[in-house]
Amino acid sequence: MTANIAIIGFGSITRTLLASLAGNGAVRVKNIVVRPERIGAPDHSWQDARFVSSIGELEADVDTVIEAAGHAALRQHAGDVVASGRRLVLASSGALADDAFRKGLEKTARETGAEIHVVSGAIGALDALATAQIAGRQAVHYTGIKPSRAWRGTPAEHCVDLDALEAPTTFFTGSAREVARLYPANANVAATVALAGPGFDATTVSLIADPDAALNRHVVEADGVLGSFRFETTATPLSINPRTSGTTVFSILSFLNSGSNSVRLV
Ligand SMILES: NC(=O)c1ccc[n+]([C@@H]2O[C@H](COP(=O)([O-])OP(=O)(O)OC[C@H]3O[C@@H](n4cnc5c(N)ncnc54)[C@H](O)[C@@H]3O)[C@@H](O)[C@H]2O)c1
């Protein structure tokens, strides 16, 4: 079956995804949603996709909308996507730590028949988390380890002297909900773990600055009635954006190919 999709955002994820979709007959990109001032920009074109600035302008046969634009864009467009009954596939999961926003989307989706999927993004192990979550209580801990410089411009600067670190240093321990509040630009992985597992308050998080690290690392540890597991990823970033791991793009592609590899909220 062919999916007719729209993508919100025309940044690193979208451009890499489009390059990977070339020649894929099962996915047709009908629209790309960008900020109004970017419509008509010289580099804003891709095959016969029409660039628009609102969900109301999408082609009628678009059935799936991919969000790859950030928390503010998700807040701006997600309500319109689910109100239109389309399948929403999102990357900026940190925005869902706002319960009122998330529950509102879920309620609308139930009314319209829309689906909401959070792609696995930079990590894996969502299947194991979701399985254990059905079976009963589980303790889930996520550790995010990034090069010291990656934490510049965040509250980490008030916890440690990032330029003086000589060893990996934990500067934050708390819940996935607190990560979303304090470190919104780094909240997506913790949020995705929380959504697959025991939720934003019960999922605990450590954030570490490592002066010798070159790449981001993500560790998910879970212990529940079915047993325990530990899943560690070292993420190779996109060449065009050191903040985004390549896995994120290919988790979207994997979802488009198989309909799986996500946390489904509705
Ligand atoms: N779940 C994960 O593991 C994971 C991993 C990486 C990134 N992400 C999310 O994906 C987002 C996109 O990543 P990226 O690397 O492509 O970022 P990017 O900065 O390269 O691109 C974002 C694009 O979205 C556009 N945009 C911003 N606000 C918009 C709006 N309101 N409407 C339309 N377009 C808008 C920007 O102009 C830009 O072109 C990130 O902000 C992050 O929230 C999630």
Side-chain angles (χ1 to χ4, degrees):
M1 203 181 88
T2 304
N4 291 323
I5 71 167
I7 309 176
I8 304 172
F10 194 52
S12 317
I13 290 178
T14 301
R15 288 167 196 253
T16 311
L17 180 65
L18 291 173
S20 305
L21 281 173
N24 184 332
V27 178
R28 277 202 299 252
V29 183
K30 308 285 285 217
N31 297 112
I32 296 174
V33 183
V34 297
R35 292 192 174 110
E37 65 273 20
R38 304 301 297 162
I39 301 280
D43 71 333
H44 276 40
S45 70
W46 193 77
Q47 296 187 350
D48 56 357
R50 194 164 60 85
F51 282 65
V52 299
S53 60
S54 69
I55 300 304
E57 297 168 84
L58 299 185
E59 311 303 322
D61 61 356
V62 166
D63 48 59
T64 300
V65 180
I66 314 278
E67 176 279 321
H71 295 186
L74 184 71
R75 283 185 164 281
Q76 181 182 348
H77 296 296
D80 291 339
V81 174
V82 294
S84 72
R86 294 181 170 99
R87 185 167 65 157
L88 173 64
V89 181
L90 65 96
S92 299
S93 52
L96 301 178
D98 177 341
D99 285 341
F101 174 57
R102 188 184 70 255
K103 287 177 181 168
L105 288 180
E106 292 174 352
K107 178 172 181 290
T108 305
R110 284 191 197 95
E111 288 163 3
T112 62
E115 296 177 11
I116 305 174
H117 298 262
V118 180
V119 292
S120 57
I123 52 156
L126 303 187
D127 52 350
L129 283 171
T131 301
Q133 195 58 32
I134 294 170
R137 283 172 65 87
Q138 61 177 335
V140 176
H141 188 76
Y142 162 68
T143 306
I145 306 145
K146 296 190 177 182
S148 301
R149 66 177 179 285
W151 298 109
R152 288 199 191 117
T154 75
E157 290 183 321
H158 307 299
C159 307
V160 289
D161 182 350
L162 291 170
D163 294 324
L165 294 184
E166 292 183 349
T169 303
T170 303
F171 59 84
F172 170 88
T173 52
S175 68
R177 180 140 4 239
E178 289 170 294
V179 174
R181 184 171 59 82
L182 295 171
Y183 297 89
N186 295 278
N188 290 320
V189 176
T192 303
V193 170
L195 289 163
F200 283 93
D201 297 312
T203 300
T204 56
V205 177
S206 301
L207 299 178
I208 295 176
D210 182 348
D212 298 320
L215 299 172
N216 296 344
R217 279 176 21 238
H218 307 285
V219 182
V220 180
E221 293 165 291
D223 191 4
V225 292
L226 301 179
S228 61
F229 76 85
R230 181 179 189 280
F231 183 90
E232 177 165 350
T233 317
T234 301
T236 303
L238 293 175
S239 56
I240 54 172
N241 186 351
R243 289 176 51 79
T244 292
S245 66
T247 321
T248 307
V249 175
F250 287 90
S251 75
I252 296 172
L253 196 53
S254 167
F255 179 86
L256 289 171
N257 286 338
S258 67
S260 61
N261 198 11
S262 70
V263 186
R264 182 172 173 177
L265 302 186
V266 177

